[in-house]
Each structure stands twice: as structure tokens, then as C-alpha cells.
Amino acid sequence: MKNSALWIKNGRIIDPKNNRDEIADLFAINGTIVESLSDECKAFATCIDATGLVVCPGLIDVHVHLREPGQTHKEDIATGTQAAAAGGFTSIVCMPNTTPAIDNPSVVKAIQATAKKHSPINLYVSGTITLNREGKDLAPIGALKDAGVVAITDDGDCVQDNGVMRKALEYAKMHDLVVMDHCQDMSLTQGSVMHEGEVSLRLGLTGWPSVAEDIIVSRNCLLSATTGAHVHMQHITAGSAVEIIRQAKKQGVNVTAELTPHHLSLTDESVGTFDTRFKMNPPLRTEKDRQELIAGLLDGTLDIIATDHAPHAPHEKDTDFDHAPFGLIGLETSLAVCLENLVHNELCDLNTLISKMTHEAARIVKIDKGTLSTGADADITLFDPQEAWVVSEQTSYSKSTNSPWMGETLRGKIKQTIVAGKVVFSDTELTQAPEATIHHTEPAGNPSA
Amino acid sequence: MSTNNSWNRKDLVGTYELSKQEIQTLFAAATPFKKLLSQKGATHPSLANRMVANLFLEPSTRTQMAFDAAARRLNAASTTLNGSASSLTKGESLRDTALNLQALDVDIIVMRHSSPGAAHFVSKIVDIPVINAGDGAHEHPTQALLDCFTLHEHFNGDLAGKEIVIVGDILHSRVARSNIWALKTLGASVTLVGPAPLVPQGFRHFGITISHDLKSAVSQADAVIMLRVQRERQKENNIPSLGEYTKQFALTQERLCWLKPEAIILHPGPINRGVEIDAHVADSPRTKILEQVTNGIAIRMAALHLCHAHVHGENGMETLPQ
């Protein structure tokens, strides 16, 4: 095999895992980060001028809905992973609420095979906790692990039965898998479509009270404490839930949690005119919650940023609020929204944000990613933190356009996304990198499979 | 009151967005229509050769009849599409239904739907007026406006400082919400009474008093609006039993003495005699239930007339019956 070399010049290298933040060059050979290039290698290396850009580990998103198999009119593996690349993500974890659900190894294998053909980035798969995500019978967790899943979750259908959840955690512990949970007590959220509060009362929409999240977060903390299993709380929305997790972590309970770009930037006030772009589950909450979520992110209670990228076709969202599906797309706007709401307003430094989108995320699903250490996979994201751009349907890679930021101007632009040393996304034509478009890389699919 | 005000809305979707002047304009328009109603069979031709479509995707009898009566008194033809929102969404989308009605050359859509915001959604799609006849628990503006018109007449055109008590299932009630917004806009004080799960404390955000004590609340009232108890709420455990509800929140003959002598009683209907209100109370001269029905036609005539005039670039206040 011919050697390939990459020389990223003069960028601001931010590698939080290694406490590195300096203007320097970054090198890779054959898809691996190296200390330096020989003169011979430099001669044929692909050169990227990163002057004025941040060069960081490729971003990682552990919560993505790719809709394949089953709902490919919303998104598919090819378009979803291309959107991820355009958003600076080099590794993502897809959720198992597909049709059929990812509750057996054959679906895992099918997704991996498709990813190998069509994904420009590393696609990791999560499996279900229970068969068909029904919350009753456990999925074959060991077989799923053998097939390569990095987590188990019933995603949108939170396991309600505490006995089932306990056994799931025991199996997950045995197989060294994280259990990701969408924390929602269904008995408190029948028919709920938005946060229960002033706005829902005014609009007559059925409310989703914060306590429904708090109860399951508490349940998960208690079950994690008794089983020792790692429970990862998906998309936390309530300040009260942040406090529960904070206290559990103080006691050493093995729990982690994620925050979405939309919950840290938007509130239930956005729903004010029945705008279905703001219908999501769990719902946007109050300004007070939003502040407490950010505080939780900054003090480490909430470990990471994850998008919950949830594509829906335009005609599905174009209806009355009750009948519109929950969710929004987020891969292509995640970094910019976080920059706008955390970094540009000086709540958070760039290093902290990047750590929560790279090595911290890798730690949760135990993948060897998220750093620019010598010898690491050359998964690298280059972005201009200040460049303003307009979110538009024309430039979006996702099949769906259900983003509240559509048409908005955001500051923070992904310039290049590099997977295993190859440029898989570039926002401009590159003279020195002929492969500077979306293309298929190897290996795709689950590297550990 | 001045009748020179104009109406600048295509639609009547809710009372939340209405100004005091807009509400008073509607009342001013309703007044001559009410007078017309007192003449058997009299009509006013403001909707002559026009078609009103009743899009009722949730069952209704009296609201639909009142809108029909209003349309007929304005010389409009009306057509009705009955169905359920769920059967609709299986096939044709709400957007397509709305566009089809417009393509049928309908002039006004009167719609009821089980989902909050449905009328708002349709109003953004079509160029013709949309009158909300109830959208989930969101709004039922014509019911509230007829209630407020009834109060307005009774209190000689001034609700400022009047204490209005609304009793019942507030949480699930579009009538309550529309009344709350309109009453507040008109300067009245509003107290909500009912069991805790159905009268959430969150309503305090809107400058409203919450009470679970019927006696103390109604003793201050200038008017009491009794809401119908929906029997299905019992299945959801929002009320333990109808008997439990009645024991605490029904307006019975014995409890009438809790009210000030001059206080009046309203009920949007249909009434459940023996549940939220005693037969004796329902039939007493203090209740305005049948007055409300008449006012309901007048208010709906006003709403149809004004919205229709607006989309045709006319000031509907200049084309009212003499």
C-alpha cells in the first residue's frame, strides 16, 4: 500500500485530553497521528493550511438517529453520516429505534455493511435493551456486544419496569457495556408534547413535567449504585435532574449524562406559536432550567454534548402540534450552536467545549478516539470559530430540514473533517487535496467489530 | 361605546391575542345582531351568496348549530364536514383539507379540532377567514366572547374590577382559557376553583387566583361560570368520582346562599344536572344559560361578519344592521 501523509500547517491545535493548546503543525501517516514527517514524506504529503483555524480531535456524537433501516425517507446511513462529516463529526453512535429495531446481531451487521459502503466517518452502533424496545424481554445483550455494539439503549422508549432495568444493568455490567437511558416516566407523560409550565398551560398543550425525568434519573442512579453498571443519562433537560446526578456523582455512582445543543440554547417559550420545529422529546424547558443545565455542563455533572439528531420529513412536521413528530436535526449545527451559546458569550472556554465533544464522549462508549496523541487515529476536525454562515437547506447534507436554525446565521464553521488521515468533508475546494469531497473511507463500520 | 372601531383580523383563533378594543368592537357588532335575532326569521345579508364551511373534526352539536344559525341569519349557505382528527391524519393532511376547502371556493372556515393550535395552523395556510370553534384545550373564543358579552350586558358595559369565578376542570378547558384571557383583558378579576389536579397552581403566573374552596370563592363573586364536568376525567383519575366532585364543587340549591344576592350564574352547556349544577339552580332566574345561547348566535354573527368584511377590505362596523 502506498504511503499517504497529511501535514496540517500552522493551526491552533486544541487537544484537551493532552492539555495541548498551541499554534503548531500536525502530521499523520497512513491514517495515524505522528510526531513529525520526514522530508521525504513532506514532499508528497497532503498539505492543509490551517492558519486561523482550530485543529482538534474529530468530534464525537453518541446520540444520532440515522433512520436506516425502516425510515429512509427521513434520513439514511449515507446522508446521515455525510451530515455528520459536514458537522465535524468523525465518529457517531446511531440509535437502535430503527424498523426493525437493532435488537439482534443481524441488524447490527446490516448497518455495519451499509456503513462500510456509504459512511465517510466511523459509525458505531448501539443495540436495544429489550426486544423491539418494548421494555419487556431483554435483547440478546451478549450477542449484540459480540456483533460490535458500543452501548445498549431503548432510546425514546425508556424502560419503565425497574426489574427489567435492573437485570439489563446486570447484563450490561457483565459485558462492560454502557446503558444509555432516555429518562422519562411514561405514567407522568401520557399525551405530553411540551414542557409542563406556563407556556403549556397557556396553549392548552399537554405538559411533560420535569419530575418525570427526575424520577427515572433517580431510579437509574439507584440501580447503578446497586449493580455497579454504567448508566448514561441521555439528553438531560431539567435543572432538578442535574442536581440529582450531581449528588449521585459525589457519592461515586457510575453515571454520566449528556446535554444537547438545543436544550442549552432554547426554552419552551419558543413553542409559543405552536411552532413544530421546537417540538422535541424530552422537551425544551424554562430559562432557569437552561441556566442550570449550562452550570451542570461547566461543573462536569453533565459530561458531554450530544445532538439527538432526529430527522423528520417536511410533511411530517407540517401539521398541528399534537400530531407532529418529536425531534430536530442537529449534526451540522451542533458545534456552531455550542460556540454561540457557550464560547462566544464567554461562559465556557474552547478547550472545555471541545473536550465535551471529543474524548469525554469517547470515554462514555469506550472507544479509542477523541485525542490527537501520537499513534492515535488521524480523525481531525478543522474549524473557524468566528466564521459566520447561514444554515440553509441548499447546503445541508441531511435528508431532512427540521432545524430551528434553518435560515439563521451562526458563528463557527467546520472547514475540514478528516477521518483516518483523509479529508471527508471540506467547505472549500482544496488545491492540494484531491479527495476534498465527501467520499468513502476505510475502515467504516465498527472498527472493533 | 363607540361603534367607529374597525376590525383588522382575518381570523378569530383565540381571545389571548385580542385587545380590549377588539373585544369591544365585537360586542358593538353583536348588539345590533342580537336585536335582529329578536325578530322572528329576520336576516342581514352580509354573507349573501357566501359559503361557510364547518370543519368539525371533533364532535359538537350546539356550537355547530349556533354557527349554522348565525350563518343562516347572515344569508350564507353552510356546509359541514364532520370527522375525527385521527381519521383525517391517516389520509389527507390537515393542510390538504384546508387547501381543498379553499379550492371549493368556501368563504369562511369554522373549525373544531382536538389539537391545540389546529385553527392557528389552518389560518396560516388559507387566505379566507378561520373561526376557531374549539381546538383541544387551547381556545374556544366565540364561547368566551358570548360569556363575556352576557356579562358585559349584565354589568352595563363595564367589567373592570368585577370578580368572576370559574368552577370546574380548568386544565382541560378551552372555554376556561378563552374566558380567562378575555376577562383579564376586560379588567375583571378571575378566580379559578376546582380540584387541584384540574386547577394547576401554574395558572397563578397569569395573575389569576386559585382556590379549592368553593364557598369562600363564590361568596366574593359578581358572576360564577360553572363548567361542565367531563365524565371521562374520572377514568384518568383526575376526579375520584362524580360524587366526590359534586360534594365539593357543585353549585346546589343549598349553596346558592353562599353567593351575593345580585351575583349571576353562567354555564356554557351542555349542563350535567345534578353533577356540577343542581336542576333548581340551573332553572333559577339567576342563571343566564338561555341568554348565553342567544348571545352565542349574535357573537358568532359578529365574528363571521367582521372577519369576512376585513378580507374584503371593508369596515364591517359600517355595514351592520340599523
Side-chain angles (χ1 to χ4, degrees):
Chain A
M1 176 180 160
K2 186 179 178 298
N3 282 334
S4 70
L6 180 69
W7 183 4
I8 301 171
K9 293 179 177 174
N10 202 35
R12 179 181 170 191
I13 297 176
I14 300 182
D15 181 13
K17 183 73 194 292
N18 294 309
N19 292 316
R20 187 175 177 200
D21 183 356
E22 60 178 341
I23 306 288
D25 292 358
L26 187 69
F27 310 100
I29 293 180
N30 295 338
T32 301
I33 307 263
V34 292
E35 292 258 12
S36 60
L37 293 181
S38 64
D39 288 345
E40 186 200 354
C41 282
K42 280 182 178 174
F44 68 81
T46 299
C47 291
I48 298 171
D49 179 6
T51 305
L53 303 182
V54 170
V55 177
C56 70
L59 305 182
I60 298 170
D61 187 353
V62 302
H63 194 155
V64 176
H65 299 274
L66 291 180
R67 307 302 190 202
E68 183 176 353
Q71 294 190 300
T72 50
H73 65 289
K74 298 170 191 263
E75 193 78 281
D76 59 34
I77 290 169
T79 58
T81 53
Q82 282 165 11
F89 292 97
T90 55
S91 295
I92 63 173
V93 179
C94 65
M95 290 294 108
N97 63 333
T98 47
T99 311
I102 310 177
D103 63 2
N104 66 78
S106 65
V107 187
V108 179
K109 298 287 183 198
I111 291 169
Q112 289 166 341
T114 306
K116 189 158 180 150
K117 272 190 264 176
H118 296 298
S119 171
I121 62 160
N122 305 300
L123 175 60
Y124 296 87
V125 181
S126 65
T128 65
I129 297 171
T130 64
L131 290 176
N132 205 28
R133 303 166 55 245
E134 286 172 355
K136 293 182 205 149
D137 304 318
L138 289 180
I141 296 168
L144 287 167
K145 163 87 177 184
D146 289 344
V149 303
V150 295
I152 54 170
T153 174
D154 274 1
D155 191 59
D157 289 321
C158 174
V159 174
Q160 299 297 293
D161 186 310
N162 298 329
V164 171
M165 191 64 170
R166 177 188 172 182
K167 289 189 173 65
L169 294 197
E170 288 168 342
Y171 269 96
K173 165 87 173 159
M174 186 172 84
H175 293 297
D176 195 26
L177 276 173
V178 59
V179 178
M180 296 178 164
D181 202 25
H182 167 122
C183 302
Q184 176 177 9
D185 185 316
M186 300 297 182
S187 69
L188 288 166
T189 54
Q190 291 300 309
S192 302
V193 293
M194 73 171 295
H195 171 64
E196 181 181 296
E198 196 176 326
V199 181
S200 70
L201 274 185
R202 173 164 70 79
L203 298 178
L205 291 168
T206 304
W208 196 131
S210 297
V211 71
E213 179 169 290
D214 300 342
I215 285 173
I216 297 295
V217 167
S218 304
R219 185 272 308 256
N220 289 344
C221 289
L222 294 167
L223 287 179
S224 172
T226 58
T227 61
H230 174 194
V231 181
H232 176 70
M233 320 283 184
Q234 297 177 301
H235 43 42
I236 290 300
T237 65
S240 43
V242 173
E243 184 55 27
I244 294 164
I245 296 165
R246 185 178 286 127
Q247 294 308 322
K249 283 187 163 188
K250 267 186 196 162
Q251 292 168 36
V253 180
N254 188 13
V255 291
T256 54
E258 73 193 28
L259 175 58
T260 70
H262 45 283
H263 288 112
L264 68 83
S265 59
L266 303 169
T267 69
D268 63 340
E269 294 289 340
S270 301
V271 181
T273 53
F274 299 101
D275 190 334
T276 60
R277 292 178 307 164
F278 298 96
K279 181 177 176 182
M280 47 201 75
N281 185 15
L284 299 173
R285 300 206 186 272
T286 66
E287 177 59 21
K288 181 168 178 283
D289 288 300
R290 193 183 75 84
Q291 303 278 354
E292 289 168 4
L293 290 170
I294 291 174
L297 186 75
L298 296 179
D299 74 11
T301 302
L302 305 182
D303 301 79
I304 62 164
I305 302 286
T307 64
D308 191 12
H309 178 82
H312 293 292
H315 72 270
E316 295 169 328
K317 278 283 196 180
D318 183 24
T319 187
D320 62 276
F321 203 84
D322 274 351
H323 290 97
F326 293 103
L328 72 165
I329 56 170
L331 285 168
E332 293 172 75
T333 50
S334 179
L335 178 68
V337 169
C338 291
L339 286 169
E340 289 279 19
N341 291 281
L342 295 171
V343 177
H344 294 330
N345 57 3
E346 299 184 343
L347 292 175
C348 173
D349 62 48
L350 205 44
N351 294 50
T352 304
L353 174 62
I354 290 170
S355 73
K356 288 176 179 301
M357 297 180 79
T358 57
H359 74 93
E360 295 278 4
R363 174 174 59 85
I364 284 168
V365 287
K366 301 185 181 74
I367 57 174
D368 192 14
K369 295 282 185 184
T371 78
L372 297 175
S373 307
T374 297
D377 295 337
D379 295 352
I380 307 161
T381 297
L382 280 66
F383 66 93
D384 181 339
Q386 296 299 336
E387 185 179 328
W389 59 290
V390 179
V391 185
S392 82
E393 294 182 19
Q394 285 71 37
T395 57
S396 169
Y397 286 85
S398 176
K399 245 183 217 183
S400 293
T401 57
N402 53 312
S403 165
W405 291 284
M406 206 50 81
E408 300 280 314
T409 299
L410 297 172
R411 269 181 310 159
K413 182 87 182 74
I414 301 295
K415 304 304 285 184
Q416 298 206 29
T417 306
I418 296 163
V419 173
K422 291 182 183 170
V423 177
V424 297
F425 169 80
S426 172
D427 84 328
T428 51
E429 290 299 315
L430 286 187
T431 50
Q432 292 167 288
E435 67 272 66
T437 51
I438 298 285
H439 72 143
H440 307 144
T441 62
E442 275 185 280
N446 189 334
S448 69
Chain B
M1 189 204 304
S2 164
T3 55
N4 295 326
N5 302 329
S6 61
W7 175 262
N8 295 312
R9 289 182 184 274
K10 170 174 90 72
D11 314 294
L12 178 60
V13 168
T15 61
Y16 185 79
E17 55 267 26
L18 296 183
S19 67
K20 184 171 182 178
Q21 190 185 329
E22 286 174 309
I23 294 173
Q24 288 180 337
T25 297
L26 271 161
F27 291 171
T31 303
F33 284 129
K34 185 175 181 182
K35 212 161 125 194
L36 188 84
L37 291 174
S38 66
Q39 305 156 36
K40 184 74 183 165
T43 61
H44 183 69
S46 56
L47 296 183
N49 303 317
R50 303 293 182 187
M51 171 96 89
V52 176
N54 292 317
L55 178 62
F56 275 66
L57 301 176
E58 191 186 62
S60 160
T61 46
R62 62 186 54 214
T63 300
Q64 192 180 319
M65 281 175 67
F67 269 107
D68 268 341
R72 198 169 308 130
R73 291 283 192 151
L74 295 172
N75 287 352
S78 65
T79 182
T80 297
L81 174 61
N82 281 310
S84 76
S86 57
S87 71
L88 190 78
T89 52
K90 278 178 194 161
E92 193 177 56
S93 73
L94 186 56
R95 168 180 291 276
D96 289 326
T97 305
L99 289 172
N100 271 277
L101 286 176
Q102 183 159 272
L104 282 167
D105 209 19
V106 157
D107 297 284
I108 300 176
I109 295 174
V110 174
M111 71 174 283
R112 170 168 288 193
H113 196 285
S114 57
S115 298
H120 181 272
F121 177 79
V122 170
S123 74
K124 299 291 173 213
I125 293 168
V126 297
D127 302 326
I128 55 177
V130 173
I131 312 288
N132 184 5
D135 59 332
H138 177 226
E139 289 244 27
H140 190 355
T142 58
Q143 176 67 50
L145 289 164
L146 76 87
D147 292 342
C148 290
F149 183 57
T150 305
L151 295 168
H152 167 89
E153 287 189 320
H154 183 80
F155 294 112
N156 301 314
D158 187 10
L159 295 188
K162 291 285 182 286
E163 179 63 39
I164 314 297
V165 173
I166 307 177
V167 184
D169 173 4
I170 310 297
L171 179 63
H172 300 96
S173 176
R174 52 189 169 219
V175 175
R177 276 185 186 75
S178 289
N179 262 312
I180 288 166
W181 315 135
L183 288 166
K184 294 292 289 179
T185 300
L186 293 170
S189 297
V190 179
T191 297
L192 307 175
V193 182
L198 298 177
V199 189
Q201 293 294 322
F203 276 107
R204 288 183 202 275
H205 290 299
F206 306 107
I208 292 156
T209 306
I210 306 290
S211 169
H212 308 300
D213 179 1
L214 184 68
K215 185 176 184 179
S216 72
V218 298
S219 66
Q220 307 296 317
D222 295 300
V224 180
I225 301 175
M226 300 300 294
L227 299 179
R228 189 171 70 95
V229 175
Q230 294 181 290
R231 287 163 192 271
E232 58 267 32
R233 298 293 167 233
Q234 191 181 335
K235 286 184 221 136
E236 300 158 1
N237 268 326
N238 280 306
I239 53 176
S241 70
L242 286 181
E244 177 92 353
Y245 182 89
T246 300
K247 186 163 175 254
Q248 221 175 339
F249 299 107
L251 201 50
T252 59
Q253 186 174 0
E254 305 76 57
R255 293 172 178 176
L256 266 186
C257 65
W258 293 350
L259 276 68
K260 294 194 275 192
E262 66 277 18
I264 57 168
I265 299 159
L266 276 66
H267 193 304
I271 58 175
N272 289 322
R273 288 175 186 249
V275 181
E276 72 272 0
I277 194 164
D278 259 10
H280 174 86
V281 178
D283 296 333
S284 91
R286 305 177 71 166
T287 63
K288 300 286 177 185
I289 293 172
L290 298 176
E291 182 85 17
Q292 287 171 273
V293 175
T294 305
N295 286 344
I297 302 172
I299 280 287
R300 287 170 178 121
M301 289 173 80
L304 291 168
H305 172 86
L306 290 175
C307 290
H308 178 261
H310 174 70
V311 295
H312 290 272
E314 296 160 9
N315 180 357
M317 297 306 286
E318 291 168 358
T319 53
L320 293 168
Q322 292 306 305

